[in-house]
Every structure is written in C-alpha cells, then in structure tokens.
Amino acid sequence: MHRWSSLDDVPADLGATVATLGNFDGVHRGHRAVLDTVTSLARERGLASVAVTFDPHPVAVLHPERAPKEIAGLAHRLDLLEEIGLDGTVVIEFTREYALLTPEDFVRQTFVEGLRAQVVVIGHDSRFGLDNSGDERTMRELGERHGFEVVVQGTVGEVDHGLRTWSSTALREALGTGDVETATQILDRHHRVTGEVVHGHHRGRELGYPTANLEDGSEGLVPADGVYAGWLERPALPPEHPDRRLPAAISVGTNPTFDDVARRTVEAYVLDRTDLDLYGETVWVEFVHRLRANERFDTVEALMVQMGADVDRARTLLVG
C-alpha cells in the first residue's frame, strides 16, 4: 500500500479511483465494512482503492480540551489499512485553516482534483467540511455536480444481543469499563497498547513476577484499571521466533497496596518466564480477558496469593 502524506504526493499516473474518507480510529468492523466496499468496487471496475484520513484527529485541533486519546496510533492504523488491501492511503495534516474548507471545496480538492474519484464510499454518518456541515445528502449532490457516484454504507453490528453500530464510541465505552471481550468483538482482533519497556520499582521481580513496564504515553487507549490476561508481542523478532508472542498477565493502574497511587502504569508479566530482558524494547500488549478489578491488599503476602491465582487463571484462559 502506498502511504502519501498529502494529496500533492499522489502520482499523476495513479488513474481514477474508488475513494473514502474517515479518521478510522481503531479500524474496527464498522470501518472495515466501508473499506471492504471500497476495495471490492475498485477490483470490479479496475480502479485504484484509496482512503483519506487525518492526522492529528480533528477534535484534537478544534477542541483539544475534549479530544479523546486515540484508540490506535497513526502507524498502527496505517498497518491495519494496508492489511485490508487498499492501494493507497492519503494522510492529510488537519489544521485550523484546513477546517475552514467548505464541504464543496473539500470534495473538489480531495476527490475530484486530488484522486479523480469515480466512486466515493462513505458511512451513513460521515461528516466533512466547515463545521462538519457536509453529510450524505451533501455528498450525493456534489457527486451529481462533479460526476462521481456515491455509495453509502449503512449501519452494521450486533453486540451483546442488541443492535449497535460497530463504532469508535462503542469501542471506547467497552475499553473504558475494561470490557475487553466486547472490544475484541468490535475490532475483530484483540485491542493493543504499544510502548517501550522501561524500569519501574522492580517490585514484581522481588515478588517473583518480573513485569515489563510500558513507558508513560504509550500508543493506544489503555483500558480501565484492572488485571487482564493477554499477550505480549515483540515485533522486533521475526514472526517464527518462539519468543515473538508470549502469554501474559497484565496489570493496569496504580499500586494501592504499596500506596503508589500517583502514576498509572501498564505492566505485563510473561507467564512462567523470569529470564527475559526486555528493557528498551518496544512491545505490543494485547488484552484478551479481564480477570478482576484492582484492589488494595492488607499484606504483601495476601497480594502474592492473589497474584498467583491471577497467573493460574491467565494460563488457563490463554494456553489451557
């Protein structure tokens, strides 16, 4: 997949396209319904398939005080978009000046002149242009005016036996309560957080459960405080390496037993391994099952008993 940092980078010989737009935060199943339509139409018509996305997130520019943390960082999003089979993705730098484009100017610059789109695929709730004033009806009107077809992807998704959209909002709600199982359904993969392993207080090692502590500001939305079963993956190792993907018990939050509540951390103990030296290495931590909420223990001994039980349960859930 070609990755272009502006419309000016799109080569003139790309030809006509089937295109779409979106933030694609998380690249969840709702996004993929739109993107699968793009790629299938492009194959049928012999055109290039292209997605347009933005960085930073528009809310982070226009309303930074209420900007949500990204579910997945830009690099991860681009990797996920590539896996779908797109021919290219254009990452447009979102600025306050860019936000002033009218819906027609945005469509003309992006889809008509920039990508020579024959088809534009959008979600039913897509918004674009000044004050998000462009919508499905606007896009259809502009398609008629500028000579491109518009395809609208409807709502899809079923979670917890009730109809809901596979949406970033639903995904944030699930992660915000630690419901990583529902997050997996929405994503169709396990949610992950990426970061460099740094030194912590080394309490885990002293207790017999050495943990990989992720740096502050790791990439990806951290789920609610609690203990989870999941996987630690080492992307620097080749895929076939036996230590590439390892089962882990993961702790998110503070350490109330030690009155260490000033800093929220993500720590992963690789099951039954005390020989790993991961400091300075960038790893992925994937969340599969929530085991319990965080709690304060009266003694270190009581904490160790619970940690042993957590590890046993994680082992059963992950490896049988």
Side-chain angles (χ1 to χ4, degrees):
M1 181 185 79
H2 298 286
R3 304 182 184 195
W4 300 300
S5 57
S6 75
L7 289 166
D8 292 337
D9 294 336
V10 178
D13 61 356
L14 178 66
T17 67
V18 178
T20 189
L21 76 155
N23 293 309
F24 304 118
D25 192 10
V27 193
H28 51 68
R29 293 170 75 171
H31 293 142
R32 289 209 301 281
V34 173
L35 294 162
D36 287 345
T37 299
V38 171
T39 56
S40 63
L41 285 173
R43 283 193 300 269
E44 290 172 9
R45 304 187 187 196
L47 304 174
S49 56
V50 179
V52 176
T53 191
F54 308 99
D55 186 61
H57 193 292
V59 177
V61 175
L62 300 176
H63 305 285
E65 72 285 353
R66 65 170 191 256
K69 182 173 174 59
E70 291 181 319
I71 296 167
L74 179 61
H76 189 196
R77 276 188 285 150
L78 290 174
D79 288 343
L80 292 167
L81 291 170
E82 182 167 4
E83 289 175 9
I84 288 169
L86 290 166
D87 293 310
T89 296
V90 183
V91 181
I92 293 177
E93 181 184 6
F94 195 91
T95 63
R96 287 187 173 274
E97 292 73 24
Y98 187 80
L100 297 176
L101 286 176
T102 66
E104 177 157 17
D105 285 342
F106 168 77
V107 167
R108 179 177 49 78
Q109 290 184 19
T110 304
F111 296 120
V112 180
E113 299 171 355
L115 296 175
R116 298 178 293 285
Q118 288 189 7
V119 185
V120 174
V121 182
I122 59 173
H124 73 286
D125 57 352
S126 291
R127 296 291 184 273
F128 55 93
L130 180 64
D131 296 329
N132 277 336
S133 55
D135 57 12
E136 174 186 339
R137 185 177 68 176
T138 312
M139 188 67 80
R140 290 191 186 279
E141 292 173 351
L142 292 171
E144 291 179 2
R145 189 176 308 164
H146 293 285
F148 59 82
E149 179 184 349
V150 176
V151 174
V152 179
Q153 177 70 55
T155 303
V156 293
E158 188 172 346
V159 181
D160 294 338
H161 311 291
L163 187 65
R164 296 179 60 185
T165 56
W166 300 122
S167 68
S168 297
T169 298
L171 180 54
R172 289 181 186 283
E173 290 173 357
L175 293 173
T177 61
D179 186 0
V180 294
E181 291 86 353
T182 293
T184 296
Q185 294 179 46
I186 296 172
L187 289 166
D188 201 25
R189 66 177 188 279
H190 302 310
H191 176 65
R192 85 182 190 200
V193 173
T194 302
E196 182 181 327
V197 178
V198 298
H199 288 276
H201 293 290
H202 300 285
R203 292 195 187 103
R205 183 169 297 278
E206 294 169 1
L207 299 175
Y209 298 99
T211 59
N213 294 259
L214 268 59
E215 63 185 330
D216 290 343
S218 295
E219 180 183 289
L221 181 60
V222 177
D225 290 1
V227 178
Y228 299 84
W231 299 90
L232 182 146
E233 186 153 355
R234 307 170 68 186
L237 296 180
E240 68 277 7
H241 195 289
D243 284 346
R244 162 84 182 215
R245 183 172 171 82
L246 301 164
I250 306 158
S251 174
V252 175
T254 59
N255 292 292
T257 299
F258 298 96
D259 295 322
D260 181 14
V261 296
R263 179 169 162 264
R264 190 167 182 251
T265 62
V266 177
E267 306 177 45
Y269 163 65
V270 175
L271 303 187
D272 308 313
R273 296 290 296 271
T274 60
D275 60 321
L276 298 172
D277 182 0
L278 302 176
Y279 293 118
E281 189 171 332
T282 295
V283 300
W284 302 336
V285 174
E286 294 186 357
F287 297 85
V288 180
H289 300 284
R290 181 176 168 88
L291 303 180
R292 63 176 174 86
N294 275 358
E295 56 185 299
R296 188 183 192 282
F297 294 89
D298 293 331
T299 66
V300 173
E301 290 73 18
L303 170 62
M304 291 179 65
V305 169
Q306 183 60 61
M307 291 171 68
D310 294 337
V311 168
D312 288 343
R313 189 173 173 209
R315 186 186 300 109
T316 299
L317 290 169
L318 296 170
V319 299

